[in-house]
Amino acid sequence: MKLNIERLHRIQERLANNKIDAIFLTALENIRYLTNFSGSSAFLMITKDKGYLITDFRYKTVAEDEVKGYKVEIYKNSIIDEIERLTRKEKVSHLGIEKRNITLEQYQKLTKKLKKIKIIPTLNLVEGLRAIKSPVEIKNIEIAINRAEKAYKKINSNIRTGISEKEIALRLEYAIKSGGSDKLPFETIVASGYRAALPHAVSGKRLLKDNDSVIIDFGAEYKGYYADITRTRFIGSRINRRQRKIYQTVLDAQTEAINLIKPDAKAKDIDAAARKVITKAGFGKYFGHGTGHGIGLMVHELPSISPKSEDILKEGMIFTVEPGIYIPGWCGVRIEDMVLVTKTGCRILTTLPKEI
């Protein structure tokens, strides 16, 4: 409860700094972060001195059990009617909204209903807080990582010639769920041979063949927090020279990026370090995505480790470092680890081996 109250007060401070009387929150991840509510339907309205968790009758008991420090309101007609009632009650003249999360329909109804209230779009008001993980959140993520890695080790011997991508994915997902994860962070990716050149391939019926590269991108969950890991395997004992060069280039790029991670570093500089290694090796045009992304209650959140990112690294941030090279029609390699920014640098949270 203490942590929830602290987070509520930090949002209220941000409202005051932005001269907003109240904010209407619609993103479930932000609602869970602020209140601990685990249901699938809820909204928040936070004023300068109060917090309202608004849900429907299905989640009344859940909300009352999980949510402390907020007044639980059960709406009957529509959420917009309830927000109109609360803004009137709290004498709100300036109402903030999450411009990335509110639906167009909700926005249109809100502006129509609250004609005398100024609607102010906000960006990353809560997400900015979520980017810095508390010790409890770090522990939750470490447990999620441990679950993912244990599952991978269980099915390790199944990654061989003659088995399909889909079969490997199903066995890995079963191991993840039987290991305690309530849900999967995303659909497991197993992409082999020429299909490994598709960064977000869907696991298919293709059978693994000798000399294939195989990208396996998977994750697990604990208390709503996620892990995201990728390893690239080679099938058979003979790895050709070009495959070895590509793999070593990706590994070197990841190492260079990780070596630069520390508080106050620019996220785009981390990306540039990885991109420089890959470009120098002659594979620059085959690396088309960002080097990493924050992870927590969502698989993709702040910070963004990409060329155009304006994010500055802070102690407590957790994100992936995942450079890759994808040669169309032939093969692909991606290596993805999760790192925690510490006081003096970073700590790699993932532990699976990366040797060829």
Side-chain angles (χ1 to χ4, degrees):
M1 178 179 175
K2 182 180 178 181
L3 187 59
N4 289 348
I5 297 300
E6 288 176 359
R7 290 171 176 173
L8 171 61
H9 289 164
R10 291 183 70 184
I11 294 298
Q12 289 169 331
E13 288 174 5
R14 290 188 166 203
L15 294 182
N17 292 338
N18 286 277
K19 298 181 180 180
I20 299 173
D21 300 320
I23 188 165
F24 173 44
L25 300 174
T26 51
L28 280 173
E29 294 82 10
N30 288 341
I31 292 167
R32 180 162 189 168
Y33 175 79
L34 292 170
T35 69
N36 203 43
F37 177 76
S38 64
S40 62
S41 177
F43 304 89
L44 271 187
M45 195 176 92
I46 296 174
T47 69
K48 61 183 179 180
D49 57 3
K50 292 182 187 139
Y52 294 93
L53 185 285
I54 310 159
T55 187
D56 60 66
F57 75 98
R58 295 172 299 166
Y59 295 104
K60 183 176 186 294
T61 301
V62 173
E64 289 172 347
D65 287 344
E66 294 179 340
V67 179
K68 309 301 178 186
Y70 290 78
K71 181 172 175 54
V72 175
E73 299 280 351
I74 307 300
Y75 70 91
K76 297 179 181 178
N77 298 319
S78 78
I79 183 61
I80 303 302
D81 288 342
E82 186 65 15
I83 292 299
E84 193 273 335
R85 182 184 73 82
L86 290 174
T87 53
R88 205 172 350 102
K89 175 183 175 183
E90 297 294 335
K91 297 181 173 57
V92 172
S93 62
H94 293 71
L95 178 68
I97 58 169
E98 301 173 289
K99 69 178 183 180
R100 279 186 179 164
N101 301 310
I102 194 168
T103 68
L104 176 60
E105 181 182 22
Q106 288 169 338
Y107 177 76
Q108 289 175 333
K109 288 182 177 179
L110 202 63
T111 53
K112 186 177 180 180
K113 194 81 171 179
L114 308 180
K115 292 181 179 178
K116 295 182 179 180
I117 294 178
K118 185 172 182 179
I119 306 298
I120 302 172
T122 67
L123 182 64
N124 296 333
L125 202 75
V126 182
E127 288 86 347
L129 297 182
R130 278 175 42 204
I132 311 295
K133 273 41 180 194
S134 69
V136 171
E137 290 179 294
I138 294 168
K139 186 64 178 176
N140 289 346
I141 290 171
E142 288 179 322
I143 293 172
I145 290 170
N146 184 256
R147 287 179 169 182
E149 294 189 331
K150 279 186 175 179
Y152 181 83
K153 290 173 183 176
K154 278 186 179 180
I155 64 97
N156 193 33
S157 62
N158 298 127
I159 306 170
R160 49 181 165 74
T161 58
I163 190 170
S164 72
E165 297 169 348
K166 190 172 287 292
E167 179 68 17
I168 295 171
L170 287 172
R171 291 189 185 197
L172 183 50
E173 288 176 355
Y174 177 79
I176 291 166
K177 285 205 166 185
S178 62
S181 293
D182 290 333
K183 54 187 173 181
L184 297 170
F186 50 87
E187 187 174 349
T188 300
I189 296 171
V190 179
S192 62
Y194 70 92
R195 299 189 73 256
L198 307 173
H200 273 190
V202 175
S203 304
K205 296 180 180 179
R206 185 182 186 277
L207 303 181
L208 272 58
K209 299 177 182 178
D210 204 32
N211 296 327
D212 275 349
S213 67
V214 186
I215 289 178
I216 305 172
D217 191 342
F218 60 101
E221 173 270 348
Y222 179 72
K223 291 188 176 180
Y225 287 83
Y226 295 127
D228 184 5
I229 307 168
T230 303
R231 288 295 181 265
T232 298
R233 295 282 298 274
F234 291 96
I235 304 302
S237 58
R238 293 181 299 169
I239 302 171
N240 68 50
R241 187 177 297 175
R242 195 175 187 214
Q243 285 175 320
R244 188 176 292 276
K245 180 182 179 181
I246 290 171
Y247 188 90
Q248 191 61 50
T249 299
V250 172
L251 185 57
D252 290 345
Q254 190 198 47
T255 301
E256 284 295 314
I258 290 173
N259 286 342
L260 288 182
I261 296 172
K262 60 181 180 180
D264 297 325
K266 295 179 180 179
K268 63 183 178 183
D269 289 346
I270 308 304
D271 177 273
R275 210 165 292 280
K276 182 179 179 180
V277 172
I278 292 173
T279 300
K280 187 176 180 180
F283 300 110
K285 67 179 181 180
Y286 302 117
F287 178 28
H289 58 71
T291 297
H293 56 84
I295 186 165
L297 289 169
M298 295 179 71
V299 177
H300 288 82
E301 55 182 53
L302 296 177
S304 170
I305 314 300
S306 64
K308 294 183 179 181
S309 177
E310 295 299 322
D311 296 333
I312 304 297
L313 303 187
K314 300 296 180 185
E315 182 184 356
M317 286 183 169
I318 293 179
F319 53 88
T320 67
V321 183
E322 51 177 305
I325 295 174
Y326 312 92
I327 312 295
W330 185 54
C331 82
V333 171
R334 179 165 70 252
I335 305 170
E336 178 182 23
D337 285 293
M338 293 174 60
V339 299
L340 166 68
V341 182
T342 62
K343 285 184 179 180
T344 57
C346 75
R347 177 162 62 92
I348 302 174
L349 302 178
T350 33
T351 66
L352 290 175
K354 291 182 280 190
E355 295 80 10
I356 295 178

